[in-house]
Amino acid sequence: MYSEEGLVPLLIKGYKEVVPNWLKFRYGARRTLSDPAILRGHIDQYLLRQLNVLYHNYFTEQTGENFLDKDWDNLVLLDACRYDAFERTVTLDGELDSIMSLGSKSATFMERNFSGNEYHDTVYVTANSYAATYARDVFHDVITLWDDDWDEELQAVPPEAVTRAAVEAHEKYPDKRLLIHYMQPHAPWIGDKGKQFIEDNGLRGANSKYPDEQTIDTYSAVFHNLIDCTDEELVEIYDENLEVVMECVKDLLSKIDGKTVLSADHGEMLGETSHPIPISCYGHPEVPTDELRRVPWFVVAGGSRRTVVSEPPKEETTADADVAEERLRALGYKE
């Protein structure tokens, strides 16, 4: 069994996760209960999907590899990047393989790769605000971007900002490994087609055109049948997000040396079925599907190795926890 907590504590944890969300009635109790389509989405997202998560947390052994223990000078994480999307989209010279991630969402990936470990030969440059919780005392330095480089219009840290910060970190720390975490292809959609999709459907980050109905993101809108969108359309704008971030990755590769690997913290579900309760899933719930756990491991061709040394961590600057929470809400993680 996967969980070491025992069944009763896990059931209590599941109760705490399922019941409060179920009772929130994200789009209002009256509207949810009177509209069969919204009610079906509410049941799928807040009950059945969570029961699947609970099942897999207890009964499924979720194995994977610690990415930070592998051989690289620069590890680029593309948040929520599926293996099949990378395979059909990326045309760089190099060797593509797949690898099983230790988590199917960022928080779990960080907890299982970072917690209890010391990587004092590594500098972490990140746009993912879960790092505020999981990256403390792990790296030589952590460079966070979700405060100063947040783009209010995009409701995300643009990939150009990550490239700039990574190049600066490489110049400042030439004898350290770099872990570089972009937020794309994770939503929100920042390409031209994606922006048009957001406008056409009244979405902005995790905000709805219905301000009295709390928050909404693309996948919740699809779950609750609030927008007319096919899975093929989602794949198209998702792939576009990957293409956008890869242009910035190419720029990065031209400015840093060393052995560079491109990978992801986890993948993404775009309408595939999760089990044991068969429901269509979107995003990245904590279920061990191939779409979520199998990610690219692409070793970029060329690149001379650099000498890396381990040194005590830099004095930490306290990241604003409120800002980190706000950014997670904008990305659809928090409500």
Side-chain angles (χ1 to χ4, degrees), residues 255-316:
K255 297 174 179 176
I256 61 174
D257 62 10
K259 178 182 178 180
T260 300
V261 175
L262 311 184
S263 190
D265 52 351
H266 56 80
E268 192 83 322
M269 295 190 76
L270 297 170
E272 294 86 6
T273 302
S274 70
H275 298 283
I277 303 171
I279 58 168
S280 296
C281 267
Y282 301 88
H284 32 275
E286 193 64 72
V287 293
T289 66
D290 194 62
E291 294 83 8
L292 290 175
R293 300 294 297 280
R294 189 167 73 100
V295 297
W297 188 263
F298 182 82
V299 181
V300 178
S304 58
R305 300 305 299 266
R306 63 176 181 263
T307 301
V308 173
V309 298
S310 179
E311 295 180 290
K314 301 278 288 185
E315 184 176 347
E316 287 191 2

Side-chain angles (χ1 to χ4, degrees), residues 29-271:
R30 180 176 298 178
R31 184 181 181 192
T32 299
L33 297 174
S34 63
D35 188 321
I38 296 179
L39 179 59
R40 185 172 67 250
H42 187 76
I43 293 171
D44 283 353
Q45 184 172 19
Y46 294 118
L47 179 60
L48 301 184
R49 188 176 78 162
Q50 291 306 117
L51 289 174
N52 280 348
V53 170
L54 188 65
Y55 171 87
H56 287 295
N57 278 346
Y58 191 71
F59 290 107
T60 304
E61 183 180 5
Q62 301 180 31
T63 58
E65 296 188 53
N66 188 317
F67 292 5
L68 277 78
D69 290 338
K70 298 181 75 66
D71 179 39
W72 46 266
D73 296 319
N74 311 298
L75 176 58
V76 175
L77 295 178
L78 305 170
D79 205 291
C81 183
R82 293 168 59 117
Y83 175 84
D84 59 353
F86 189 98
E87 185 177 36
R88 65 174 172 261
T89 302
V90 176
T91 58
L92 293 171
D93 290 334
E95 183 178 346
L96 175 61
D97 201 350
S98 65
I99 190 171
M100 296 303 292
S101 173
L102 285 168
S104 60
K105 60 182 182 180
S106 296
T108 309
F109 172 87
M110 291 186 193
E111 180 181 19
R112 295 176 185 167
N113 281 274
F114 299 173
S115 295
N117 293 318
E118 293 182 352
Y119 299 104
H120 296 170
D121 62 349
T122 303
V123 172
Y124 185 22
V125 179
T126 179
N128 190 311
S129 49
Y130 272 122
T133 301
Y134 296 103
R136 296 176 63 86
D137 303 318
V138 176
F139 302 97
H140 177 68
D141 197 4
V142 179
I143 299 169
T144 62
L145 306 176
W146 58 78
D147 193 351
D148 293 341
D149 291 290
W150 181 260
D151 188 306
E152 285 293 341
E153 182 178 353
L154 295 178
Q155 289 287 283
V157 176
E160 295 85 356
V162 181
T163 294
R164 172 191 50 75
V167 172
E168 291 174 356
H170 179 50
E171 293 170 351
K172 183 177 180 180
Y173 301 110
D175 58 355
K176 297 292 181 287
R177 301 197 305 173
L178 290 181
L179 176 62
I180 305 162
H181 198 152
Y182 291 86
M183 272 313 300
Q184 293 75 29
H186 193 294
W189 319 115
I190 64 174
D192 291 339
K193 292 178 183 177
K195 290 177 181 178
Q196 190 63 51
F197 176 89
I198 290 172
E199 182 177 342
D200 290 346
N201 290 287
L203 306 170
R204 181 175 179 268
N207 296 319
S208 169
K209 61 183 176 183
Y210 314 107
D212 59 328
E213 294 169 352
Q214 298 180 308
T215 60
I216 184 173
D217 56 65
T218 297
Y219 298 140
S220 288
V222 172
F223 255 124
H224 290 82
N225 304 289
L226 295 176
I227 61 176
D228 185 16
C229 173
T230 66
D231 291 346
E232 291 73 21
E233 288 177 284
L234 285 180
V235 170
E236 185 177 10
I237 58 175
Y238 171 89
D239 282 1
E240 182 189 46
N241 249 31
L242 179 54
E243 292 167 359
V244 170
V245 69
M246 281 307 303
E247 288 303 310
C248 295
V249 172
K250 291 175 185 176
D251 183 34
L252 171 70
L253 295 177
S254 70
K255 297 174 179 176
I256 61 174
D257 62 10
K259 178 182 178 180
T260 300
V261 175
L262 311 184
S263 190
D265 52 351
H266 56 80
E268 192 83 322
M269 295 190 76
L270 297 170

